[in-house]
Amino acid sequence: MTASDDVRDAPPQPVRLGRPDAAAGADIHRARRVLDVLLDEVRADLAPRAGDASVTFKADGTPVTPFDRATDERIVNALVDAFPTHGAVSEETTQVAPGTDWTWVLDPIDGTSNFIAGVPYWCVSVALCLEGAPVLGVVEAPSLARRFTAVVGEGAQEAHDGRTQPMRVTEPVPLRDPASSHVPGLYSGGAARDLTRDGIRLNARIMGASALDLAMVARGVAPLSLALAPHVWDIAAGAILVTEAGGTVLGWGDASLLPLVPGDDYADRVRPTAAGADGATAHEALAAVARTRGVDPQAWGPWGE
């Protein structure tokens, strides 16, 4: 499956977050505390390993290291041990959504190529979903010594050097104005090509870690990120970060990545996904891809519908 397989006439849809009640809220905060302790340990173990890992390749040609698999297994096992009624969907362990009320969604190392090369732009991405929709998202960037966290309805925060501060998306900028050419846009390679062809003037940055790109939008570093073929584990945590920081995340396709559907296999399911400082920014980015690829964005109607 390629990204274009799902780029049809379907309008972009906002990523739907969960709506927990008070009792569920208490469970979310307990889960956050358990995850924070676990990610402290993972950071200490992974950070020194960057740039010093053996590499093999999956059937699709993407690289994987022993640390991807070991971290996946370590986090999934620890979380399911702590919360026996929870299930998990992860890149390296299981890609089929379980029929549990609570489901963890995990990418053990997003940006594996950067991790292999010792480039510090990589992360661990973990989300907790209630009835398939994210309610807690954490993006841990060990080489940057930063952790980005959001709980639905409570905003987004960045923790660094023992301090925590709220995150807020930046102000939108006119995407086609030459004066915006110094403003970074965080894209996958294909997205950078499509947006440039359609006249989007942001300074294209291909950083190689979609979850961390989303965290950077939430932090206000960039007004836009766009990935053409992310999996659910690439966006689940970042989507709640951006939304809780005041931005908008839109997915494109006839079957959304979120909420999770019990029994569905997410191994090959990808959907173009844009995160913007506002809905108009995210929508215009997807519309630019649609025009480049010959899909009529006018059929979508106004953004947000």
Side-chain angles (χ1 to χ4, degrees):
M1 180 182 295
T2 66
S4 58
D5 290 333
D6 299 305
V7 180
R8 309 293 187 187
D9 297 328
Q13 299 292 329
V15 172
R16 182 170 68 83
L17 303 184
R19 297 180 178 178
D21 58 21
D27 290 338
I28 293 166
H29 282 280
R30 176 177 171 240
R32 177 180 177 178
R33 292 192 295 271
V34 170
L35 182 59
D36 273 339
V37 172
L38 179 58
L39 288 178
D40 286 343
E41 298 170 356
V42 168
R43 174 190 287 190
D45 288 345
L46 279 184
R49 309 292 187 177
D52 185 25
S54 60
V55 183
T56 57
F57 294 90
K58 301 180 186 179
D60 63 1
T62 57
V64 64
T65 75
F67 301 112
D68 291 82
R69 296 191 171 104
T71 302
D72 190 307
E73 184 175 347
R74 175 182 185 174
I75 294 176
V76 168
N77 288 346
L79 292 175
V80 173
D81 284 348
F83 303 97
T85 62
H86 292 197
V89 171
S90 65
E91 181 176 16
E92 306 297 342
T93 304
T94 178
Q95 295 83 39
V96 177
T100 50
D101 289 340
W102 298 90
T103 305
W104 294 93
V105 181
L106 167 70
D107 191 340
I109 301 179
D110 183 34
T112 297
S113 294
N114 289 343
F115 177 81
I116 292 166
V119 176
Y121 199 86
W122 55 276
C123 66
V124 182
S125 176
V126 186
L128 178 60
C129 295
L130 176 59
E131 297 178 351
V135 292
L136 166 66
V138 181
V139 172
E140 160 66 34
S143 290
L144 303 179
R146 296 179 187 272
R147 184 171 304 164
F148 309 95
T149 303
V151 174
V152 67
E154 298 184 13
Q157 297 179 326
E158 174 189 2
H160 173 61
D161 197 25
R163 294 172 293 179
T164 301
Q165 62 183 20
M167 294 196 299
R168 191 71 185 172
V169 295
T170 188
E171 292 295 321
V173 300
L175 299 182
R176 300 175 186 278
D177 189 333
S180 298
S181 62
H182 70 287
V183 178
L186 306 176
Y187 312 137
S188 62
R193 177 200 62 215
D194 289 350
L195 295 180
T196 299
R197 285 179 178 175
D198 198 65
I200 301 296
R201 300 298 292 269
L202 299 186
N203 191 330
R205 313 288 177 87
I206 303 170
M207 304 298 289
S210 296
L212 196 48
D213 286 351
L214 289 164
M216 292 298 106
V217 172
R219 190 173 182 263
V221 171
L224 174 66
S225 73
L226 175 59
L228 291 187
H231 290 85
V232 67
W233 42 81
D234 297 315
I235 68 164
I240 189 169
L241 290 175
V242 172
T243 304
E244 286 295 317
T248 299
V249 181
L250 298 179
W252 185 6
D254 58 352
S256 176
L257 291 175
L258 290 164
L260 296 170
V261 177
D264 278 13
D265 190 337
Y266 288 84
D268 296 319
R269 184 177 296 180
V270 295
R271 296 291 182 271
T273 302
D278 63 358
T281 297
H283 189 280
E284 176 56 21
L286 290 176
V289 173
R291 283 187 290 268
T292 301
R293 292 173 177 249
V295 178
D296 181 10
Q298 298 304 315
W300 297 347
W303 71 266
E305 291 190 358

